[in-house]
Structure formats: structure tokens, C-alpha cells
């Protein structure tokens, strides 16, 4: 099933963690823009990366417990930016405060598609 980005966004929480609210909002906006461009398969892969499953409860994003969280943290390494990470028990994706949409899109794609060694069934 197609994961509706507008619904995903509505039922998500933004958590700035050590960054200004305006920076966190910009990074989150880039995330939603990136997800709009993703195929249904890539959206499912991101969901699986973040919550441990590529499927939602029958009622959709509103049924996720806990709610999906976008946590934005400072980008610490100027030379080699870290990839986004996920905390599946908390349904949280942690994204460094990247400097551009392109950087976020690149790092997110790598994290989601190369970092799937969690042992979860991502179907």
C-alpha cells in the first residue's frame, strides 16, 4: 500500500535535540520533500528502517504507538557527516542538521538502503 506523506507528516512529531527550532523545521521539511519524491517501495523501506516494519496499523499513521518522531541533532563532523539513525522501539528517525536538501536526500538513501542489517522482516 502507498504511504501517504501528508498523513505521515500530520501524525509525526518534530523533536529538535540540540539545534534551534527553525533549523529542525528546515531539516524536517527536506525530509518530507524527499519522501514525496520516493517511490512507494522507498517509502516502505524508510518506514521499515525507522519502525522495524514496512506496514502500518490498519488505521494508518494515527495508530502508531508511539507516534513517528523526526529528531534533528547537530551535525558534528564537517568532513564526513554521519548518516541518519533510527530507534525502532521509539519509532524515531534521528537526522543530523544537514546543510542542504541534496545532502539529506543522499545520506537518507544510503542509511535506508545500505543499513538494513537489523534482522527485521522489511516486507
Amino acid at each position: 500500500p502507498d504511504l501517504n506523506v501528508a498523513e505521515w507528516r500530520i501524525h509525526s512529531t518534530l523533536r529538535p535535540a540540540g539545534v534551534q527550532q527553525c533549523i529542525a523545521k528546515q531539516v524536517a521539511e527536506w525530509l518530507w520533500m524527499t519522501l514525496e519524491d520516493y517511490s512507494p517501495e522507498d517509502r516502505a523501506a524508510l518506514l521499515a528502517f525507522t519502525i522495524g516494519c514496512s506496514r502500518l496499523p490498519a488505521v494508518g499513521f494515527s495508530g502508531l504507538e508511539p507516534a513517528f518522531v523526526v529528531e534533528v541533532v547537530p551535525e558534528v563532523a564537517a568532513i564526513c557527516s554521519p548518516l541518519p539513525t533510527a530507534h525502532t522501539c521509539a519509532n524515531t528517525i534521528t537526522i543530523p542538521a544537514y546543510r542542504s536538501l541534496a545532502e539529506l536526500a543522499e545520506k537518507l538513501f544510503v542509511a535506508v538502503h545500505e543499513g538494513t542489517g537489523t534482522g527485521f522482516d522489511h516486507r
Side-chain angles (χ1 to χ4, degrees), residues 1-119:
D2 191 25
L3 299 170
N4 182 297
V5 176
E7 180 189 356
W8 198 337
R9 184 178 187 155
I10 288 168
H11 295 288
S12 297
T13 301
L14 176 60
R15 182 188 306 146
V19 298
Q20 294 177 353
Q21 179 79 16
C22 61
I23 292 171
K25 283 183 177 181
Q26 180 62 71
V27 172
E29 183 61 33
W30 290 337
L31 170 67
W32 304 124
M33 291 169 65
T34 300
L35 287 177
E36 285 287 351
D37 289 341
Y38 270 15
S39 68
E41 294 78 18
D42 287 338
R43 289 179 191 169
L46 176 72
L47 187 68
F49 174 77
T50 307
I51 72 168
C53 182
S54 62
R55 296 184 183 146
L56 290 171
V59 295
F61 284 100
S62 65
L64 277 181
E65 188 58 43
F68 189 91
V69 175
V70 178
E71 180 180 56
V72 181
V73 298
E75 184 181 36
V76 291
I79 296 172
C80 183
S81 300
L83 295 174
T85 58
H87 309 279
T88 56
C89 292
N91 293 343
T92 299
I93 186 165
T94 301
I95 303 173
Y98 297 122
R99 291 178 213 89
S100 70
L101 169 62
E103 184 179 19
L104 180 141
E106 176 189 348
K107 300 285 186 174
L108 187 63
F109 189 86
V110 170
V112 168
H113 293 285
E114 303 296 330
T116 57
T118 61

